[in-house]
Structure formats: structure tokens, C-alpha cells
Amino acid sequence: SVLLLRACLVLLASPIYLLSFLGMWEPFCRKFFFPYILDKIGVIHDKKSKRHKEELFRSLPEFRGPSGELRLLEIGTGSGSNFQFYPPGCRVTCTDINPNFQEDLSRNMKKNQHLRYERFLVAAGEDLAQVPSGSVDAVVCTLVLCSVHSVSGTLREVLRVLRPGGAFYFLEHVAAEHSSWRYFWQQVCYPTWKLIFAGCCLTRELWKNLEEAKFSELKLQHISLAMPCMPIEPHIVGYGVK
């Protein structure tokens, strides 16, 4: 039944599969479709997750460095929807593998003048070579680990750039319970969803990656964020300390 329903979705999305076969979908998706659709979905997700983000980022000031400043690196900054939750005076370095969010990012920077913006790096989470080891107090990653090529590689880079005692903050959608209907529909949607949404994987059990990473302390909570007509309801939220 999963394969049959997957085939139906492939048929419905056949124009996108054709564009992908011709090598035309990925550049169009990265430059136009994904920034546009992520902005629209982001508005809904931000409303659903606001309370959780406020609670999550409330502890950020506790990780200020010896100088009293908080140096923060965000992986997959996108349009900058997290800026509103960061403490005043925070020095933010933005990274994203897709440079086509600049218009919305600039708008959110202007709205959040309480922050100090250091620089924007075009970089994948698995390769933060432009960021020196042990140079940041906090790393933030929200709705990004679902689409990186290597979760373990990204977490290794997170631990490398964090100073000892620094923290990694995350909020990510994850696989549902295997016995649930949610997981059934995640499996059905998986191939087409991944193609349309720039590599986003629906069935990653990211809490396992985080538990296997070498954090000295890990605070992780499973939560549910109901997204209408979307198979990304189960989430994890928390932070790990280096």
C-alpha cells in the first residue's frame, strides 16, 4: 500500500520529476520555489513553535563567554525567523547553503536591531571550515538537520566550533512512532517530499544522532506541533552542552 500510494504521488508530481530528470528543478527550487514556500510555511510554523522557542532560547544568556558577550552561530539561517528570540547584544554569524534568502534575511535583520550581525557565510552544516574551532558560545539549528547530507558530520562540526562549555540549540521535525498512521504517511510522502522540499527527509530519528554525539549534557524533549496537511507533526527540542 505504501508503494502504491507513493506511485500515485509520483504521478501527481510528474511535471516536477520530469524537470528534475532534465536537471531544471534543483536550480529553480533553490533560487525561487524553496525560499518562497519556506517563507509561507515558516509563518505557520513560527506561530505553532513560538512558545517552545521562547522557552528554549531563554537560557541562551547563561552561555555567554568569559568576555560577557554571546557569540552565536546559526546553521541554516534562512530568512532569520529566530532573530527575535536572541538576547540583546548577541553577536550573530549566519550560515546557509542556499544564498537565495537574502531579501527576507535583510528584512528580518532590520526588524531585529537588538542584535549585532557579524557576517553571512554560504556553507553547509557539514563543512564550517570558515569558522575557527572553539570560537562560538552557542550554535542554533532549527528545521535544518532534516536536510543536511550527514547529520553526524554536522554535529561533529558543531562540537568543533563550540568552545568548551558552549551549547547547541535545536528544534527539528522527526520520524513518528513506527506503529502510527503518521509514520505510514511519512513513508508514503518521503520520496516526493524530499524532491520538492530540497532534500528534506521525513523519517530521520534525529534524537538518536544527538544521543550518540559527544555532548557532556543533553536536554531533549519530544513535542507535537500540528501542521495542517503536512507530515511533520512530531518534533524534538532542546540543547546539548559541549
Side-chain angles (χ1 to χ4, degrees):
S1 58
V2 168
L3 294 177
L4 178 62
L5 290 168
R6 278 184 178 179
C8 292
L9 274 182
V10 169
L11 186 62
L12 288 171
S14 55
I16 295 176
Y17 277 91
L18 177 61
L19 289 173
S20 178
F21 177 76
L22 296 173
M24 298 169 64
W25 172 251
E26 185 176 351
F28 172 79
C29 179
R30 286 170 61 87
K31 190 168 185 178
F32 299 106
F33 177 80
F34 193 59
Y36 172 80
I37 200 69
L38 193 64
D39 182 57
K40 301 304 177 188
I41 295 173
V43 171
I44 301 170
H45 192 274
D46 287 344
K47 289 180 180 178
K48 299 284 186 179
S49 64
K50 184 175 181 181
R51 178 175 60 85
H52 296 286
K53 285 187 176 182
E54 286 174 341
E55 184 177 343
L56 173 66
F57 294 128
R58 190 175 295 136
S59 61
L60 268 173
E62 298 174 14
F63 294 97
R64 295 183 191 275
S67 66
E69 291 185 314
L70 180 67
R71 299 163 301 171
L72 185 149
L73 171 74
E74 182 165 0
I75 299 174
T77 306
S79 62
S81 62
N82 289 328
F83 291 163
Q84 60 183 304
F85 303 106
Y86 298 158
C90 178
R91 294 171 55 185
V92 181
T93 296
C94 306
T95 73
D96 206 295
I97 195 172
N98 188 345
N100 296 298
F101 291 97
Q102 289 290 350
E103 185 177 338
D104 292 330
L105 181 62
S106 297
R107 185 179 70 245
N108 271 321
M109 284 179 168
K110 289 176 182 176
K111 285 171 60 178
N112 293 277
Q113 298 281 328
H114 65 290
L115 305 178
R116 294 170 57 189
Y117 301 101
E118 298 289 292
R119 53 180 176 158
F120 178 87
L121 305 175
V122 179
E126 306 93 326
D127 183 11
L128 300 172
Q130 301 172 76
V131 183
S133 299
S135 63
V136 297
D137 305 304
V139 176
V140 172
C141 188
T142 61
L143 302 184
V144 173
L145 293 179
C146 59
S147 57
V148 297
H149 291 300
S150 170
V151 177
S152 58
T154 300
L155 293 177
R156 280 195 297 270
E157 278 291 82
V158 166
L159 285 164
R160 181 186 66 80
V161 301
L162 277 173
R163 65 165 176 82
F168 171 58
Y169 285 76
F170 55 87
L171 189 153
E172 301 284 344
H173 69 81
V174 294
E177 288 286 340
H178 286 203
S179 60
S180 68
W181 278 107
R182 290 194 187 98
Y183 187 70
F184 173 82
W185 287 111
Q186 284 180 334
Q187 288 186 301
V188 169
C189 297
Y190 181 90
T192 300
W193 183 277
K194 186 176 181 180
L195 174 64
I196 293 175
F197 292 100
C200 175
C201 298
L202 291 171
T203 56
R204 285 185 174 173
E205 298 175 330
L206 296 172
W207 64 90
K208 294 182 179 180
N209 300 97
L210 288 158
E211 289 167 353
E212 292 168 1
K214 296 178 180 179
F215 291 106
S216 62
E217 179 187 353
L218 179 64
K219 294 189 176 182
L220 186 151
Q221 181 183 2
H222 289 260
I223 61 172
S224 178
L225 295 178
M227 297 289 290
C229 304
M230 299 181 71
I232 58 169
E233 183 170 336
H235 282 63
I236 55 171
V237 61
Y239 66 88
V241 180
K242 178 177 176 179

